[in-house]
Amino acid sequence: MSTPAPLTAVRALAVLASGALFGFGLALSTMVQPEVVLGFLRFSDYGLALVMGGAVVVTLIAYKLIPLKLKAPLLGGYFHWHVSHWNRDTLVGAAVFGIGWGLCGVCPGPAIAGLGTGNWSLLWALGGIALGAGAQGLLARAPAPSSPSR
């Protein structure tokens, strides 16, 4: 695993600007409203499919073309390749995420961005997301039943 590049002031500003752009896009596309997400999941509102499809196309183009045009990222470091490992945990995690998303219509990014629009009821969903992530983190650190104890 590679070590991340140090967070300089310029990098921090770039991260802040990127996050602001992402949050603005989520709010502009109404993805911060759980009822819009639930409408998509009920097949009654396909606007979310356009937003997600547009994001995939832009990301795919950026990830494929920018490394061809630039030798290194503008703020230093190098282009990484994300290696995905498909296994049972990925499948179970995706299913649990989907169930949670379908029950409340909220996923982490839009929930955080939704706070910026004044939708404070999303704090309940964020609390649940933090609890679930914390529980998974504790389970991941626990030794496997068949492994020897420390």
Side-chain angles (χ1 to χ4, degrees), residues 6-59:
L7 187 62
T8 63
V10 173
R11 281 178 179 254
L13 284 174
V15 170
L16 183 65
S18 298
L21 181 65
F22 181 62
F24 184 83
L26 289 173
L28 181 65
S29 66
T30 66
M31 282 188 63
V32 296
Q33 299 173 7
E35 56 273 8
V36 171
V37 174
L38 292 173
F40 168 74
L41 295 174
R42 289 185 196 118
F43 303 109
S44 62
D45 180 357
Y46 297 103
L48 182 57
L50 292 173
V51 172
M52 292 168 72
V56 167
V57 168
V58 169
T59 301

Side-chain angles (χ1 to χ4, degrees), residues 39-90:
F40 168 74
L41 295 174
R42 289 185 196 118
F43 303 109
S44 62
D45 180 357
Y46 297 103
L48 182 57
L50 292 173
V51 172
M52 292 168 72
V56 167
V57 168
V58 169
T59 301
L60 186 64
I61 291 171
Y63 270 66
K64 291 295 181 186
L65 292 182
I66 290 177
L68 296 176
K69 297 291 180 189
L70 298 175
K71 291 184 179 186
L74 295 175
L75 298 178
Y78 60 94
F79 291 110
H80 299 258
W81 291 103
H82 176 74
V83 180
S84 296
H85 299 284
W86 291 91
N87 56 28
R88 182 187 61 86
D89 289 348
T90 303

Side-chain angles (χ1 to χ4, degrees), residues 58-149:
V58 169
T59 301
L60 186 64
I61 291 171
Y63 270 66
K64 291 295 181 186
L65 292 182
I66 290 177
L68 296 176
K69 297 291 180 189
L70 298 175
K71 291 184 179 186
L74 295 175
L75 298 178
Y78 60 94
F79 291 110
H80 299 258
W81 291 103
H82 176 74
V83 180
S84 296
H85 299 284
W86 291 91
N87 56 28
R88 182 187 61 86
D89 289 348
T90 303
L91 183 65
V92 171
V96 171
F97 176 85
I99 290 169
W101 193 40
L103 287 174
C104 67
V106 174
C107 62
I112 293 169
L115 295 177
T117 66
N119 188 353
W120 298 108
S121 63
L122 291 173
L123 283 171
W124 289 102
L126 283 170
I129 290 168
L131 281 174
Q136 196 286 328
L138 290 174
L139 287 173
R141 284 191 216 137
S146 61
S147 68
S149 62

